[in-house]
Structure formats: C-alpha cells, structure tokens
Amino acid sequence: MKIIKLNATSSTNVYLKDLMLSSAVKDFTVVTAKKQTNGRGQMGTSWNAEDGKNLTFSVLKRFDNFSIDNQFLLSICVSLSVYKTLYDLKVPNLTIKWPNDILSGTSKICGILIENSLSGSKIQTSIIGIGLNVNQIIFNNLLNVSSLKLLLGKSINLEEVLQFLLKDLQEYLFSIENKGAQEFWPIYESRLFRVNKPSTFEDVNGNFIMGFIRGVSSQGKLIVELEDSVIKEYGLKEVKLKY
C-alpha cells in the first residue's frame, strides 16, 4: 500500500484520477489531504471540512473481473467497512443512510463517493473517496452533522483512524473480489437508517410521501412500501429521505 500525503488539493478523487493519467498507479494507492478546496459528495454536492481536523482521502481499487451489475455491492462493502471501523471505536447509534452516508443517531459523520471506470461490462478501476468528520467541532449552519470528537468527548489521532479504516476497507474489498460477498447485502439492509420505520420522503416534484424502507434492490434502488402495501423502488436522484 502506498500512501500519498498532501497538504492541500482540490479533491483527492480528482488528484488520484489525474495521477492515473500521467503514471502507472498501483492497486490500493491512497491519497490523503489536510485540506480540500473542492471536496465533493453525492450528486455534485460539496464536502466541507475544517483544515487538518478531519480525514479526507481516496483509494484506488483495480479489478480483474468485476461486473458492472455488482457495482452497488461495492458501495455496500465500502459502507460496511467504515461502519466496522467506527463501531470498533465505540461510536454510538451507528446506521447507514442510503446509499452510503454513515450516521450517528441523526447526525452525518461520514460521506462516501465512489467513481468507477468501465471497460465494456466490467468495472476496471474504482476511486473510493471517504470524508470522515474527526476532530471538527464547529459546523456553522450545517444541520444534522457531528464528529468523532463531539460523539466520543475526546480528540482522536487522525493517523490511527486512517490505518484502521484502510485495514477494514482492504478486508472487505478482498471479500468482494474473492468470495462475491453477497452475504453482506442483508447485513447492509439491517443497518439502514430508518429501516422498517414510518418515514417521510420528498420526490423530485416536491411531493411528500409516507412509507417504510424495506431494503435495497440489486440495482441499488431504495425499496419503499407505500400506502396499501404498494412497493416502489427509487433511484438516487428520485427521492430524498426527510428527517
């Protein structure tokens, strides 16, 4: 494993992609940055982190024979690896907010952005970006956000947590390559935020919907049971969970 440590970059995902264009980058190369000037989240959202207080890093994963049909399984494995690290650190009330935000209670502490490069029907490489709130305690006007320091009541060693995260991520990615890791699917579903609880959703037209999260489809869509036991699946841009 090679770890490249930067003081600042626009985005660790972008840095790693640019590096791949100019040189041969080995599997599981890691790029970390104390400061990101243009950190990104799901659907083009920004990821704002106080300089030097948190973990913002990206990991390159190369695949030999991994079907695009299994791309959500990759998201599941990354989510569960982060969940395991935080569980071992005794972070309370952990859940995964579909598709892959990590929450403590109702507060987001970690975001994940996975960008895949394809060759035909296969995923050739994945760049896995992870942003974890560690020692930041002031989030200005952001709602439903927390950090390890706020949750555990003490400062956390960033390097130690990074090593824990990378170790768990390697183990889960090894499983997905060598075992298929289908057994992780029900584990992921059982840890979903608000699974089997009455919840409110907002669709793309601004309409509010009441329903129950029942799981995730093989394509990674959220399975929601609506009124009169109607089952509907929603893609990432089709619905937002309100809480």
Side-chain angles (χ1 to χ4, degrees):
M1 180 195 308
K2 179 180 181 181
I3 301 179
I4 301 169
K5 296 184 178 182
L6 307 173
N7 285 323
T9 188
S10 63
S11 157
T12 54
N13 270 32
V14 171
Y15 182 94
L16 197 44
K17 281 192 284 188
D18 289 345
L19 188 64
M20 291 170 64
L21 294 174
S22 61
S23 62
V25 183
K26 292 184 178 180
D27 185 40
F28 223 81
T29 294
V30 181
V31 176
T32 72
K34 293 180 180 179
K35 176 181 180 179
Q36 286 193 130
T37 58
N38 190 29
R40 295 173 299 144
Q42 293 283 0
M43 297 187 295
T45 59
S46 61
W47 179 265
N48 295 309
E50 189 176 347
D51 300 352
K53 295 289 185 70
N54 306 297
L55 285 175
T56 49
F57 65 97
S58 299
V59 179
L60 171 65
K61 183 71 192 90
R62 295 187 177 278
F63 293 101
D64 293 325
N65 185 29
F66 192 70
S67 172
I68 190 175
D69 293 335
N70 292 323
Q71 63 179 327
F72 196 74
L73 187 56
L74 174 61
S75 180
I76 284 176
C77 282
V78 175
S79 301
L80 289 178
S81 72
V82 175
Y83 184 104
K84 179 184 182 300
T85 300
L86 299 181
Y87 181 84
D88 290 344
L89 290 171
K90 305 293 191 288
V91 177
N93 304 317
L94 286 170
T95 55
I96 302 170
K97 182 174 176 286
W98 174 81
N100 52 24
D101 283 344
I102 311 298
L103 307 186
S104 174
T106 59
S107 296
K108 179 176 176 178
I109 53 176
C110 182
I112 296 166
L113 177 64
I114 301 173
E115 298 180 286
N116 300 317
S117 295
L118 309 179
S119 177
S121 62
K122 306 293 184 181
I123 295 177
Q124 195 169 35
T125 61
S126 292
I127 294 179
I128 301 163
I130 297 176
L132 176 64
N133 297 331
V134 182
N135 289 320
Q136 186 169 338
I137 60 173
I138 298 173
F139 293 93
N140 296 322
N141 296 322
L142 293 178
L143 300 176
N144 299 317
V145 179
S146 192
S147 68
L148 300 191
K149 184 172 182 176
L150 288 172
L151 293 164
L152 299 176
K154 60 181 180 181
S155 294
I156 307 296
N157 185 298
L158 291 174
E159 184 62 29
E160 285 185 0
V161 176
L162 176 63
Q163 293 302 322
F164 292 150
L165 285 165
L166 294 177
K167 174 179 175 293
D168 289 332
L169 182 59
Q170 272 191 310
E171 290 179 359
Y172 273 83
L173 291 177
F174 177 84
S175 294
I176 200 175
E177 277 195 295
N178 295 277
K179 303 175 186 177
Q182 290 294 336
E183 71 272 15
F184 292 145
W185 207 286
I187 298 172
Y188 168 86
E189 290 183 316
S190 71
R191 292 175 179 168
L192 282 174
F193 177 64
R194 298 204 62 79
V195 66
N196 298 324
K197 296 179 180 179
S199 302
T200 303
F201 305 86
E202 183 181 359
D203 67 16
V204 290
N205 298 314
N207 299 315
F208 291 97
I209 306 164
M210 297 297 295
F212 295 80
I213 294 173
R214 297 305 192 198
V216 177
S217 74
S218 58
Q219 291 77 40
K221 292 188 175 183
L222 191 67
I223 300 172
V224 180
E225 182 178 348
L226 305 175
E227 293 180 321
D228 301 321
S229 300
V230 173
I231 301 294
K232 190 166 182 179
E233 297 180 3
Y234 293 96
L236 183 60
K237 298 182 180 180
E238 296 174 339
V239 72
K240 292 180 181 179
L241 176 60
K242 310 297 289 185
Y243 66 101

